[in-house]
Amino acid sequence: MTEQSLDVHRVSQESLRAIAAGNANDDDLRLLCSGQRSQLLLVLRALLGHGSEPGRRTRCPDGTPSVEDAWQLLCRAQRQVPEAVETVLTDPAVMTWALRLLRRLGGSAEAPPSVPLWADFGQFQALAAAAAWQARIPAVLRVPAYRGLVWLPGVGTAGPVARRRWSEAEVRVSLDGAVVRGELAGVRLPRGRATAAATDWHPLRALRDCAPRTPGSEAGVGPWLDTVTPYRDFTRSPKSPGRLGERRLRLWEDRLSDAYALLDRESAVDAAALRALVRVLVPRPFQTARGGLVASASSVDAFGAITMSLPYDAPQTAAVLVHETRHQQLNALLSLVPLLEEKEEPRTRRLYYAPWRSDPRPALGALHGLFAFSGVARFWRTHRGHVAGAEAQRAAFEFAVLREQLREAVTALASDTGLTAAGRSFVDEIAELVLEWHVDHVPAVPGRLARHYGLLRRAVWRARHLEMEQAVAERFATAWAARQPAPSVPPSILRPRLDLVRLDTFGPVARYRLSSPDRFARGRRQAEDSGDPARRAEYAVVAGDTDEAALHSAEWTARNPDDVEAWIGAALSLAETARTPGATLLLDRPEVVAGVRRTVATAAGSAPDPFRVAAWLAGAVTGPAWTMRGARIEGY
């Protein structure tokens, strides 16, 4: 690792624009992977510099093993069997462990109290042990054992060989294999990779038919389904092995294999990026997705790893994989090219409305969402041309929702003064794609539902996170009491209220309507039986029954006259062609209607009808018509 010349990573303007457009070629993908490998080696080298500090010996059972010896063994393995070291270093959990430890040593992060420093640092020995085993280099190493389990990066875990939370074990490697021995038991590991699970051996599980297909890639190498690595969790470590049974694991394998095959058929460039960048998939203990809801994540600390809950079919799985692969690409790119200036303090940085999120997002989060969802939109745009019937309707809805969300997001982000020249070029490339997509035809029903969904999410987001300044609201209340025309409406103030965020329900109901009519019908019957006017109105809107939607929305508003989301639902229950200026104003600026109404109620002792307030603000009741000022809030 130390004798090879260092790579120089340069991203050309051509490569930058190709990545932004989702068209990274093999050279671009290799560059991103190479940059991440170099970053990992720098982190490991920095850890090596801490290896002789006296603090490493604190409470270690028999004195700290030499980090320098472990490093030299890694170097020897690389010279003799380079692929053995690659097996270890391309395990995303190695980067996760190394970065967390480096921050801990630097005092910028706290480790879980259950992780002694000697054990955290001792994982360096585990890297060397795994490489020596794969390279068949005789060696004896002392490694940490968590709950009796020894981590062999890139391969799996062995044990239990002890009962204590943390203990020390020995890994003895010979030409015939390896033996892991702890204070209570020993585990013999066979020659080779040993992919068959046993009582005391828990390997990473290979995903069939998903291996990289680029020239020179080793057949049968990954990706892996990881339920065993102690550092597989992005937020908490170490972690014990998961408890997925064989039947559930096979379901994961089938779902992922089908998704990879779908991408091979329909989107070769996304399939190539997935295979090149993603090495490990970590199942999340989350109920199987319903109505399009999947929990998934990537981490800048774990290049090559995706954690996700089980999607309900191959197209949804493919969409999630495309989404998370985009995050992998952008994380790797940002380590090579700054797309955003780092001048803003966290307290003064601009926040954005990211239409796919329920919380305000900083520029980096908005950029990640823009790039990731542009990939998902392209996937659904392409997929709808390969399917028919209900599946085509579903794909059209997903595409229509995302292209509108992307249009709004890219327009806002393009105005951010914190973009570097490279960042502006990156965003402009995505903007060109989004502009092209808006001429695509979308069938009537998915198009209507997508428009409704976009208006609903934006209005609800504003109602939750924006408000009028009190002095401004009082000025409006005074004008209302004097029966004067409403003043021009100024921009609102952002005051995030994450406590008001609730799980989205319209999206899943709309997806049922398009792809599972029988399930939608059952859901509507259940909503009717429940007597909940909000649920009944939602199902009626999705069904296209405007009369029923208006009736139930009016009941919802009557029951909860102060609920802004009820007002929004009532405004949206009107047919698009029947919306009054007041209803439009209520959807565009619900926080203004709420602020004026609340202030009037405080002054007069009773609250006016919100739709009368909205009509007054829109100039439909008194005063001349006016052009709304501040409809696009700065930074949104």
Side-chain angles (χ1 to χ4, degrees), residues 24-321:
N25 60 28
D26 289 344
D27 289 339
D28 298 328
L29 297 173
R30 277 193 290 268
L31 174 63
L32 296 178
C33 292
S34 179
Q36 289 296 292
R37 177 188 167 83
S38 294
Q39 179 177 315
L40 174 59
L41 292 178
L42 288 171
V43 173
L44 292 177
R45 184 62 185 83
L47 290 177
L48 184 64
H50 289 274
S52 60
E53 294 180 14
R56 302 296 80 74
R57 299 185 177 89
T58 303
R59 300 179 66 183
C60 184
D62 297 305
T64 304
S66 170
V67 175
E68 181 64 35
D69 289 348
W71 180 264
Q72 292 303 322
L73 182 54
L74 281 169
C75 292
R76 180 183 173 190
Q78 186 186 46
R79 289 191 296 270
Q80 295 184 16
V81 188
E83 58 270 24
V85 176
E86 287 305 297
T87 295
V88 174
L89 297 187
T90 54
D91 185 337
V94 173
M95 177 73 91
T96 303
W97 156 76
L99 283 171
R100 291 180 187 176
L101 177 56
L102 188 62
R103 295 186 189 115
R104 179 182 185 181
L105 295 172
S108 61
E110 293 184 1
S114 62
V115 183
L117 189 54
W118 69 262
D120 211 354
F121 208 86
Q123 298 294 7
F124 225 120
Q125 309 295 316
L127 271 65
W133 176 34
Q134 294 297 291
R136 298 176 62 194
I137 297 175
V140 179
L141 300 104
R142 290 157 48 203
V143 299
Y146 174 65
R147 298 188 183 277
L149 296 173
V150 170
W151 176 39
L152 296 168
V155 191
T157 60
V161 296
R163 290 197 184 97
R164 288 183 291 156
R165 179 180 291 272
W166 284 104
S167 59
E168 191 178 53
E170 178 187 87
V171 179
R172 186 175 294 270
V173 182
S174 67
L175 296 179
D176 294 327
V179 175
V180 179
R181 190 168 300 280
E183 58 193 16
L184 293 180
V187 179
R188 173 167 291 280
L189 304 179
R191 290 174 55 181
R193 186 171 177 94
T195 57
T199 303
D200 50 12
W201 172 239
H202 318 281
L204 300 179
R205 189 177 179 109
L207 293 169
R208 65 183 185 277
D209 303 325
C210 302
R213 297 179 178 178
T214 53
S217 62
E218 185 179 342
V221 175
W224 309 98
L225 198 63
D226 185 359
T227 61
V228 300
T229 300
Y231 296 92
R232 67 189 184 277
D233 192 289
F234 297 160
T235 59
R236 181 172 64 88
S237 64
K239 192 173 183 178
S240 299
R243 297 182 178 181
L244 289 180
E246 182 64 23
R247 180 178 178 182
R248 189 73 170 175
L249 287 169
R250 288 189 180 278
L251 178 60
W252 270 96
E253 289 179 335
D254 291 344
R255 193 69 42 85
L256 289 166
S257 179
D258 290 346
Y260 273 73
L262 187 154
L263 289 174
D264 285 335
R265 295 192 304 270
E266 298 182 6
S267 185
V269 67
D270 288 322
L274 172 62
R275 285 191 163 91
L277 302 180
V278 176
R279 177 175 171 80
V280 164
L281 294 115
V282 180
R284 292 185 67 164
F286 188 78
Q287 189 176 17
T288 300
R290 291 183 178 179
L293 301 178
V294 176
S296 68
S298 295
S299 170
V300 69
D301 287 358
F303 177 72
I306 291 174
T307 178
M308 58 191 289
S309 57
L310 182 64
Y312 64 85
D313 63 6
Q316 188 192 41
T317 308
V320 173
L321 292 174

Side-chain angles (χ1 to χ4, degrees), residues 479-521:
W480 170 275
R483 300 191 178 185
Q484 295 175 353
S488 296
V489 182
S492 300
I493 304 299
L494 174 66
R495 289 199 173 90
R497 289 288 307 276
L498 301 185
D499 57 304
L500 297 179
V501 172
R502 297 196 302 271
L503 189 66
D504 167 48
T505 57
F506 184 88
V509 172
R511 292 179 178 98
Y512 291 152
R513 161 78 167 81
L514 295 170
S515 59
S516 183
D518 291 342
R519 191 168 187 175
F520 174 78

